[in-house]
Amino acid sequence: MADDNAQPSALPPAGPEFGHPLIRILQEFTLEANRYVDAAGERKDMHRTDMNALAVIMRHTARGIVVTPGLLRRELNLSSPATTALIDRLDNSGHVVRERHSADRRQVQLKMTPKAFREGGAIFAPLAQRMGTALAGFSAEELDIATRFMASMIEATVAARTESE
């Protein structure tokens, strides 16, 4: 006889299509993260591609990498016309400016504006706060293991994508 008060498992059962239960959890996390980005983008009248572009620009800029339209095109897997339309939207909305690179004046680089940083902070602060609260429930050792796991999953995903290209 089943216990009606039994708590569900933290991990859903794995079926043959998912393999290990963590794969299903990763898929669910990805879906929920995409839903968050879509909902947040709707509030700011921005498409997911626009938000992804700002994330790419922010990530590369933080690493000291000059962001060009070509880099953005490759990162987002867009055609040249789609990239131009994307940059035009971000420029017209005041989120990005085009500047000539100081070393090579022929090269255009993309930079986020203070407006983009403000709006990005407002969009993602609630998510960061909730995630920070969730992280607080884990030890440093557990977080280290989870960090290594996620890095491995990212590497596996990139490898699978590049193998199929």
Side-chain angles (χ1 to χ4, degrees):
M1 181 189 260
D3 180 2
D4 290 336
N5 295 323
Q7 294 295 317
S9 166
L11 297 176
E17 71 277 17
F18 295 107
H20 196 281
L22 284 172
I23 301 302
R24 182 176 290 183
I25 293 293
L26 286 171
Q27 290 170 332
E28 290 177 15
F29 173 77
T30 300
L31 180 61
E32 289 305 324
N34 285 336
R35 286 178 176 158
Y36 185 90
V37 169
D38 287 342
E42 277 184 29
R43 288 191 295 275
K44 294 294 182 181
D45 198 30
M46 292 179 73
H47 187 270
R48 181 188 303 175
T49 304
D50 299 359
M51 307 243 322
N52 287 341
L54 292 174
V56 167
I57 295 167
M58 187 181 306
R59 184 178 75 243
H60 285 296
T61 300
R63 294 177 179 161
I65 297 170
V66 173
V67 180
T68 64
L71 182 141
L72 193 61
R73 179 184 57 75
R74 287 186 303 277
E75 285 275 327
L76 297 176
N77 196 29
L78 298 172
S79 67
S80 291
T83 303
T84 300
L86 167 66
I87 295 168
D88 287 346
R89 279 195 313 273
L90 293 174
D91 185 25
N92 292 335
S93 67
H95 291 101
V96 167
V97 293
R98 295 172 170 109
E99 293 182 358
R100 294 283 172 192
H101 190 273
S102 58
D104 181 353
R105 301 293 298 159
R106 296 169 298 169
Q107 187 178 50
V108 171
Q109 65 182 18
L110 305 171
K111 292 189 174 181
M112 289 177 57
T113 64
K115 175 185 178 181
F117 283 105
R118 275 192 315 274
E119 288 187 1
I123 287 170
F124 290 103
L127 180 60
Q129 184 176 26
R130 293 282 187 159
M131 287 181 157
T133 299
L135 287 173
F138 296 91
S139 70
E141 182 180 339
E142 289 171 321
L143 292 175
D144 180 56
I145 291 167
T147 300
R148 288 187 299 120
F149 169 77
M150 290 302 296
S152 294
M153 294 299 99
I154 292 167
E155 288 173 15
T157 303
V158 169
R161 175 178 46 86
T162 57
E163 285 172 5
S164 65
E165 289 179 349

